[in-house]
Structure formats: structure tokens, C-alpha cells
Amino acid sequence: MVEAALFAATDSLRVKDIVERTGLDEASVRYALKDLKMEYDMRDSAIMISEAGGEYRMMLRPDCNRFTGLFARPEMPAGVMRTLSTIAYNQPVLQSKLVAVRGPRAYEDVHTLVDMGFVSAKVSGNSKELTTTAKFSEQFGIGSTKKADIRKWLDEQAGKAGQ
């Protein structure tokens, strides 16, 4: 049931969410999550169980992402993805500076990214300070929410794209 819940979920799930919806006890859910994670890792599967900020999701391993474009349409337009990577690399970044770099279209992109849960925006003077969220790190399989780790991951991805 835990594996089915992770597979069917469109968002990350907390242990509490799985317990409430399946009727399983918390210990069983935690054991199942640990067991599933280990099973996918041992099989060297293209699928992995990711955990970030106490939330779990089933996702494709980052090294397999390059194949998805062959079979699936991207979930996010390329321009929005570029805006997201600019925010992630330079965070925290003021929206006013982002617009100066990416153009006025960035306002709409930021709105989209906030709605998707990948970016948080807090008022800072006459602008907004933008940072990525735990959902961003989880969705892209970064494994950390630390700015330095995200920047390193982005640099690695850029290097792979250039190969």
C-alpha cells in the first residue's frame, strides 16, 4: 500500500498522510518506506524513493532524467525552467534583479514557480526575495536544500548537458 501511495501521489507525502489514508500504523509505514528505499537502491533501479524535509516521493533517479525527454513532454516550459535554475543558482535573489536578467516575463515565471511549490517569495523592501524550497530539491533529486549543494548540483548538470 505504501508503494502504491507513493506511485499514485502527485505531491510528496508525509508519514502522517500515508497513515491516515491507508489505516496502517506509523511504524509499519516507516518500515515500508525504509524497505522500499533500500530495495530500489539495491536493484540500482531507475526509480528511487526520495526524502526531503520529512516528505517522501517516488521519482526517477537524476542520472536517468536525460532519457525522459525521449518519451515524455516536459512538465515545465523551458523558459520557466531557466528562471528556476537562475533563482536556484543565485539564491537568495531579489525578484527585481531576476527581472533585470531574465526580462519582464520573469514575473509570470515566478508566479508559476511559487504555485508549483518550487520557489518561495518573501517581501524584501520594494521587491521579493526568492529562494528554492525543499520540494525543488526533492523533485530534482538533489538530496539537499543547502545553497552550496544546489549550486554544485546545477554545475554538474550543466557539465553533463555540455557532453
Side-chain angles (χ1 to χ4, degrees):
M1 284 193 284
V2 172
E3 185 175 25
L6 291 170
F7 179 78
T10 56
D11 290 318
S12 301
L13 297 173
R14 296 178 312 222
V15 171
K16 177 182 152 187
D17 299 328
I18 300 170
V19 167
E20 289 174 359
R21 294 178 191 168
T22 63
L24 296 171
D25 62 274
E26 184 176 331
S28 296
V29 171
R30 288 189 185 284
Y31 179 82
L33 288 165
K34 184 178 178 182
D35 190 51
L36 285 167
K37 183 171 179 22
M38 188 169 59
E39 181 181 331
Y40 283 113
D41 288 345
M42 287 177 59
R43 283 194 339 215
D44 198 26
S45 172
I47 304 294
M48 65 184 272
I49 305 299
S50 171
E51 188 267 329
E55 296 184 339
Y56 296 83
R57 82 178 297 124
M58 182 180 284
M59 62 184 286
L60 197 59
R61 287 196 187 280
D63 59 325
C64 296
N65 284 338
R66 60 191 162 124
F67 299 111
T68 60
L70 302 173
F71 300 99
R73 291 187 322 199
E75 295 180 25
M76 174 182 318
V80 176
M81 182 66 83
R82 283 190 290 278
T83 299
L84 177 58
S85 61
T86 302
I87 294 167
Y89 197 81
N90 297 294
Q91 67 183 310
V93 62
L94 290 176
Q95 182 169 295
S96 57
K97 293 198 184 246
L98 179 68
V99 170
V101 171
R102 296 276 308 134
R105 165 73 194 222
Y107 289 115
E108 186 177 328
D109 292 349
V110 167
H111 182 72
T112 298
L113 293 166
V114 168
D115 285 349
M116 293 176 83
F118 292 141
V119 170
S120 66
K122 68 178 187 179
V123 175
S124 179
N126 292 332
S127 190
K128 292 179 183 174
E129 183 179 86
L130 307 172
T131 56
T132 57
T133 62
K135 181 178 179 178
F136 163 78
S137 294
E138 181 183 299
Q139 179 76 30
F140 290 93
I142 297 170
S144 174
T145 56
K146 295 179 182 171
K147 291 180 254 184
D149 294 338
I150 292 170
R151 184 175 269 204
K152 179 181 175 192
W153 182 85
L154 287 166
D155 286 337
E156 289 170 359
Q157 298 307 304
K160 288 178 187 176
Q163 294 178 353

